[in-house]
Amino acid sequence: METRELRYFVAVAEELHFGRAAERLRIAQPPLSRAIQQLERRLGARLLERDSRGVRLTEAGRVLLREGRAALAGIEAAERRTRRAAAARPGLVLATKAGASSELLAKLLAAYAAEPDAVPVDVLLCGPGEQERVLRDGRADVALLHRPFDSTAGLDTEVLAEERQVVVLPAGHPLSGRRDVTTAEIAALPDLPLPRWPDLDGGYPDGPGPQVRDSVQLMQLIALGRACAIVPESARTHLHEQHATVTVSDAPTVTTVIAWPPQSRSPALAHLVRTALGV
Amino acid sequence: METRELRYFVAVAEELHFGRAAERLRIAQPPLSRAIQQLERRLGARLLERDSRGVRLTEAGRVLLREGRAALAGIEAAERRTRRAAAARPGLVLATKAGASSELLAKLLAAYAAEPDAVPVDVLLCGPGEQERVLRDGRADVALLHRPFDSTAGLDTEVLAEERQVVVLPAGHPLSGRRDVTTAEIAALPDLPLPRWPDLDGGYPDGPGPQVRDSVQLMQLIALGRACAIVPESARTHLHEQHATVTVSDAPTVTTVIAWPPQSRSPALAHLVRTALGV
DNA sequence: GGCGGCCATACCGTGCGGGTATCGACCCTG
DNA sequence: CAGGGTCGATACCCGCACGGTATGGCCGCC
């Protein structure tokens, strides 16, 4: 199977429309139809059900869409990593969620930079859930992830830190004097709803709570008494005097891990991971 | 990057010889030279150092060899899984090491087969270290692995069982009456050396100890008083009265896990894993 | 110095990927 | 029910890129 065929199939499977897929691929529709037919013939499997009502995926098509996307990401990763290995300054790219674990990250970067024969490390700031993708497609070599929020499926990891979560409240809120609170108590504050974050596609889920796009917005809303938020306790460094924090007793602990794609253990990467474990 | 180019590069990188690689690919040598040059141009990276002394990999070439192999395996996996999903009887393929965890496996298969809407499960017996590969390239959907012997890097896993290891001795051996022994004591038995297993490429490592190819051979050698072996305690079911076993106190415990490629969680696979956790 | 091994270059044919035009099936809609 | 619109498939043509053969250039070796 050639990557061209796979790209074509993925485009059609995503659009469920030959014309639009062809446009996206910048080719005409007939060659696309032929390519898909040829792919189906070669695989000996029907991938798409076409009739007058449109195009639908068969079971085999769903499998190929899932597996094919992963395979294409693997190809792109190979390409990008090769380019980077050949670059004049072949450093490491570390992906991290914007704003999270900033203290740990700073310590890690400082410790690693102080090591003998450390390579330059670029930091790539990602939106939520984006890290796994940039790691898989070769834009990054290593990432800081936060379980249980980020999935570490298919990655090699080492645990760097564990921490409790705290609720961020407006300063002076009645609960702010407490030693700890429960998620049920937080949910029972109708005037301080938890915010809604955008999906991967940019839309917002339904429900109450203000829509926020970044943590600056969120912190402002909290200071204004319009929302509250549950965050790892290390995020306290971003707060100021208009905020109060209280430990949430029954929220899951957050584990910060350093993660990298399996079997891509270059010497520099191994060195960085070793340093991270010593911090 | 097209898979054709990648296959060509991997062939040259493995052979380190354009002529032999071309032969392996069943094309003439000049088109192969051209294809590699074109790939290097497109990547903007020198992959191979050619001079009169032969062909060597550059750093970028090493990266592309490693990543490219994985990417090609991903493509093949997508292809195989699609074919299987389209097959008349789309079942699951479970890979396991020949002879290991047979009891657990039997229970798992029975329990799953008894479930409502279970799909057929084929068992694929693998040599040591082979399971990870068949899982990656799509010949199997799920595998039973044994840590710390098998690597689970880049796979999703759930733990099914943990067990101690025992040493298998000829019946009547002086140590056979003991409650437990240490690895040091076993190593100090010069007339009962540990056997040598073949590498992935079929050769044997140097050293003392008889060469064995399967566990039947090994068990016979032990019964004859020519070897001993350290195995998980569940392997006791394969033994007969000519063998004795003693717990090895300082051998690592063996963890049997069920493993599958990440993000390939079909409903049937999820069902099988759920069943396995209940056994 | 001639020879052989090995990769690169030159040059040629052809098959395949892509383009345009058109068909055929189906669904609206007036 | 006729006519137009939508969408995928088919027919046909063209150009190029891939693969083949022949040969060159470089180097090491006998």
Side-chain angles (χ1 to χ4, degrees):
Chain A
M1 205 164 34
E2 290 301 314
T3 62
R4 185 184 55 86
E5 304 177 280
L6 250 190
R7 271 191 293 267
Y8 285 8
F9 171 74
V10 169
V12 176
E14 284 178 355
E15 300 282 348
L16 291 177
H17 190 290
F18 279 75
R20 280 196 298 274
E23 198 177 344
R24 200 171 106 182
L25 295 165
R26 316 188 153 254
I27 62 171
Q29 169 260 320
L32 180 57
S33 284
R34 258 193 336 191
I36 300 290
Q37 287 174 50
Q38 183 176 326
L39 180 61
E40 286 180 318
R41 228 176 308 123
R42 286 225 292 242
L43 289 173
R46 220 169 157 62
L47 301 171
L48 298 164
E49 209 68 63
R50 306 90 142 153
D51 66 13
S52 51
R53 276 192 308 290
V55 177
R56 280 174 313 284
L57 283 168
T58 64
E59 187 52 41
R62 270 186 288 276
V63 170
L64 186 59
L65 177 57
R66 183 159 34 78
E67 300 278 328
R69 275 177 176 151
L72 286 178
I75 297 267
E76 275 181 44
E79 201 167 330
R80 262 194 264 262
R81 292 215 171 87
T82 305
R83 281 215 178 84
R84 289 234 321 277
R89 202 200 59 152
L92 289 170
V93 175
L94 184 150
T96 187
K97 210 175 304 178
S101 297
S102 53
E103 209 171 342
L104 179 71
L105 175 61
K107 268 196 278 184
L108 166 58
L109 291 178
Y112 178 68
E115 291 277 317
D117 44 64
V119 301
V121 176
D122 288 331
V123 174
L124 177 65
L125 293 176
C126 293
E130 231 187 347
Q131 283 137 300
E132 210 194 323
R133 226 186 38 207
V134 299
L135 220 49
R136 264 189 218 297
D137 71 12
R139 276 177 291 175
D141 301 297
V142 61
L144 293 184
L145 298 178
H146 303 274
R147 282 200 296 244
F149 307 126
D150 302 318
S151 138
T152 55
L155 301 173
D156 276 12
T157 59
E158 292 281 355
V159 173
L160 297 184
E162 281 198 58
E163 53 186 328
R164 306 294 303 270
Q165 294 196 73
V166 297
V167 58
V168 185
L169 300 163
H173 187 275
L175 282 180
S176 64
R178 296 271 295 277
R179 244 201 47 236
D180 50 30
V181 297
T182 64
T183 48
E185 289 177 289
I186 297 165
L189 301 171
D191 47 334
L192 288 184
L194 292 167
R196 284 178 291 151
W197 292 95
D199 296 332
L200 286 176
D201 56 7
Y204 283 91
D206 292 336
Q211 299 180 356
V212 299
R213 194 152 284 282
D214 59 55
S215 61
V216 174
Q217 281 182 12
L218 172 59
M219 291 307 152
Q220 198 164 359
L221 282 170
I222 295 174
L224 292 170
R226 304 300 186 84
C228 68
I230 298 177
V231 301
E233 56 188 7
S234 68
R236 276 202 280 237
T237 52
H238 296 300
L239 306 180
H240 35 282
E241 70 279 359
Q242 295 158 336
H243 295 128
T245 60
V246 183
T247 302
V248 181
S249 55
D250 62 343
T253 62
V254 176
T255 309
T256 302
V257 301
I258 186 165
W260 60 96
Q263 104 271 332
S264 81
R265 202 161 190 163
S266 73
L269 173 58
H271 190 187
L272 177 67
V273 172
R274 223 177 317 120
T275 308
L277 287 173
V279 170
Chain B
M1 204 165 34
E2 289 302 312
T3 62
R4 186 184 55 87
E5 304 176 281
L6 207 46
R7 270 191 293 268
Y8 286 7
F9 171 73
V10 169
V12 176
E14 283 178 357
E15 299 283 348
L16 290 177
H17 189 290
F18 279 75
R20 279 196 300 275
E23 198 176 344
R24 202 172 106 182
L25 294 166
R26 317 194 154 250
I27 62 171
Q29 168 261 320
L32 179 57
S33 285
R34 259 193 334 189
I36 300 289
Q37 287 174 50
Q38 183 177 326
L39 179 61
E40 287 180 318
R41 229 175 307 123
R42 287 225 291 244
L43 289 173
R46 220 169 159 59
L47 301 170
L48 298 164
E49 209 67 64
R50 305 90 142 155
D51 66 12
S52 50
R53 276 192 308 291
V55 178
R56 280 173 313 285
L57 283 169
T58 63
E59 186 53 40
R62 268 188 289 277
V63 169
L64 186 59
L65 178 57
R66 182 161 33 81
E67 300 277 328
R69 275 177 176 151
L72 286 177
I75 296 268
E76 276 182 44
E79 201 167 330
R80 261 194 264 263
R81 292 215 172 88
T82 305
R83 281 216 178 84
R84 288 233 322 276
R89 201 200 59 153
L92 289 170
V93 176
L94 185 151
T96 186
K97 212 175 300 174
S101 298
S102 54
E103 209 171 341
L104 179 70
L105 175 61
K107 267 195 277 184
L108 166 58
L109 291 178
Y112 177 68
E115 292 276 319
D117 45 62
V119 302
V121 176
D122 289 332
V123 174
L124 178 65
L125 293 174
C126 293
E130 232 187 345
Q131 285 137 296
E132 210 194 322
R133 227 187 34 210
V134 298
L135 220 48
R136 265 189 217 298
D137 71 13
R139 276 178 292 176
D141 301 298
V142 61
L144 293 183
L145 298 178
H146 302 274
R147 283 200 296 242
F149 307 127
D150 302 316
S151 138
T152 55
L155 301 172
D156 277 12
T157 59
E158 292 281 356
V159 172
L160 296 185
E162 282 200 56
E163 54 186 327
R164 305 296 302 270
Q165 294 197 72
V166 298
V167 59
V168 184
L169 300 164
H173 187 274
L175 283 181
S176 64
R178 296 272 294 278
R179 245 204 43 237
D180 50 30
V181 297
T182 64
T183 49
E185 288 176 293
I186 296 165
L189 300 172
D191 48 336
L192 287 185
L194 293 168
R196 284 178 290 152
W197 292 96
D199 297 330
L200 285 177
D201 56 6
Y204 283 91
D206 293 335
Q211 299 179 356
V212 299
R213 194 153 285 281
D214 59 56
S215 62
V216 173
Q217 282 182 12
L218 173 58
M219 291 306 151
Q220 199 164 359
L221 282 170
I222 295 174
L224 292 170
R226 303 301 186 84
C228 68
I230 298 177
V231 300
E233 56 189 5
S234 69
R236 276 202 280 235
T237 52
H238 295 300
L239 306 178
H240 36 282
E241 69 281 355
Q242 296 159 335
H243 296 128
T245 60
V246 182
T247 302
V248 181
S249 54
D250 61 344
T253 61
V254 176
T255 309
T256 304
V257 302
I258 187 165
W260 60 96
Q263 102 273 333
S264 83
R265 202 157 190 168
S266 73
L269 173 58
H271 190 185
L272 178 67
V273 172
R274 224 177 317 122
T275 308
L277 288 173
V279 171

